[in-house]
């Protein structure tokens, strides 16, 4: 995959101060993420993975450094513009699924499309297509209580992908799932990258994901310590 990077992080730092104690969580992260592949960031719990994902996706302002996404310097925008950027271009999948108990699978996917200005028949068609892509057409009428963990995460993926975002951010998407469901979920993330050209950036401490990723980075102690492609036939491109 030779495409230009869609996410460029330069010298990203982030500290958290609580009382008189300041913890430096990210200490200068440089990273370029390309579209059309599943990039996985691994690291132990507390190593700053969620902080890094949040900085890259406009959810948490870094203390220093530059985040460039789709050619836009994200943190130079005002808060409203960052929100609009996220709405237009970014999908999110989290460990906890974040589904609404009172909505069916179809409603979970179709309602948020309204925030992107997609409504009516167009929204219904996009939601149906996204649910079909994750294999849930026959379960679309069910509420979360009637769905398994794996099915809930597939709904969350359909919700994230229905608006066809250029970027998909996933934070520990498989941590609440068993092996089979975890693999189904990571296969869908990979399909989004390979099939749609989406930039998929996933952070996790789950080593089961490594085999499925196109590229695996490790962060430790606030810095990137390795950057590899599990398939040796694919060279690392800088
Ligand atoms: N909002 C916050 N306030 C204070 N400390 C935080 C905050 N968010 C994260 N941290 C701290 O930063 C470190 C990294 O957190 P995080 O990015 O969630 O790690 P990971 O996702 O790798 O488990 C942890 O020590 C955590 O306690
Ligand atoms: Mg985390």
């Amino acid at each position: 995959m030779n495409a230009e990077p869609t996410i460029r992080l330069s010298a990203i730092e982030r500290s958290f101060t609580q009382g008189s104690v300041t913890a430096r969580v990210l200490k200068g992260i440089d990273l370029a993420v390309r579209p059309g592949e599943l990039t996985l960031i691994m690291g132990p719990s507390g190593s700053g993975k969620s902080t890094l994902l949040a900085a890259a996706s406009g959810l948490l302002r870094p203390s220093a450094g530059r985040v460039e996404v789709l050619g836009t310097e994200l943190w130079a925008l005002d808060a409203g513009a960052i929100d609009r950027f996220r709405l237009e271009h970014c999908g999110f999948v989290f460990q906890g699924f974040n589904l609404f108990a009172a909505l069916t699978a179809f409603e979970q996917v179709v309602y948020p499309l309204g925030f992107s200005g997609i409504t009516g028949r167009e929204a219904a068609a996009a939601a149906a297509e996204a649910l079909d892509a994750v294999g849930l057409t026959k379960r679309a009428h069910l509420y979360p209580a009637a769905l398994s963990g794996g099915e809930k995460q597939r709904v969350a993926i359909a919700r994230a992908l229905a608006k066809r975002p250029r970027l998909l951010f996933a934070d520990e998407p498989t941590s609440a799932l068993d092996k089979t469901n975890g693999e189904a979920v990571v296969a869908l993330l990979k399909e989004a990258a390979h099939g749609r050209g989406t930039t998929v950036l996933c952070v996790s401490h789950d080593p089961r994901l490594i085999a499925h990723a196109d590229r695996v980075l490790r962060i430790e102690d606030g810095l990137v310590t390795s950057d590899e492609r599990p398939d040796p036939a694919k060279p690392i491109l800088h």
Side-chain angles (χ1 to χ4, degrees), residues 16-18 25 43-52 171-172 203 219:
F16 292 106
T17 302
Q18 284 177 315
V25 173
S45 183
S47 59
K49 302 182 298 296
S50 294
T51 303
L52 181 62
D171 192 342
E172 306 280 2
V203 305
I219 62 170

Side-chain angles (χ1 to χ4, degrees), residues 2-204:
N2 247 324
E4 278 298 300
T6 41
I7 303 174
R8 287 182 189 275
L9 308 181
S10 313
I12 297 298
E13 298 181 24
R14 174 72 208 207
S15 301
F16 292 106
T17 302
Q18 284 177 315
S20 59
V21 180
T22 296
R24 288 182 70 210
V25 173
L26 303 176
K27 298 180 182 171
I29 302 273
D30 295 307
L31 172 62
V33 184
R34 290 187 168 73
E37 56 184 27
L38 170 54
T39 300
L40 175 65
I41 297 185
M42 301 279 306
S45 183
S47 59
K49 302 182 298 296
S50 294
T51 303
L52 181 62
L53 196 82
S57 58
L59 293 170
L60 180 83
R61 183 181 289 276
S63 312
R66 186 183 159 93
V67 176
E68 205 179 293
V69 185
L70 302 174
T72 297
E73 190 181 350
L74 203 52
W75 293 104
L77 302 175
D78 65 36
I82 292 178
D83 287 347
R84 287 192 296 278
F85 185 93
R86 217 187 297 109
L87 206 49
E88 186 175 358
H89 297 299
C90 305
F92 290 88
V93 178
F94 295 103
Q95 175 174 357
F97 319 136
N98 299 356
L99 302 182
F100 293 97
L103 299 183
T104 66
F106 179 77
E107 290 164 345
Q108 314 271 354
V109 179
V110 80
Y111 287 170
L113 287 171
F115 296 112
S116 303
I118 307 167
T119 55
R121 259 187 228 171
E122 193 190 347
E129 188 192 325
L131 284 162
D132 185 50
V134 301
L136 285 179
T137 298
K138 292 193 174 139
R139 313 280 285 161
H141 61 291
L142 296 175
Y143 293 92
L147 300 172
S148 71
E151 287 172 334
K152 285 182 217 176
Q153 194 60 304
R154 280 150 60 197
V155 173
I157 291 173
R159 177 178 59 189
L161 291 176
K163 65 178 177 182
R164 298 197 158 268
R166 291 185 61 191
L167 308 149
L168 180 64
F169 295 95
D171 192 342
E172 306 280 2
T174 62
S175 295
L177 304 176
D178 63 19
K179 183 170 189 289
T180 308
N181 283 302
E183 285 186 347
V185 160
V186 74
L188 290 169
L189 300 181
K190 200 167 175 174
E191 168 59 22
H194 293 192
R196 301 182 176 207
T198 310
T199 303
V200 184
L201 183 60
C202 175
V203 305
S204 181

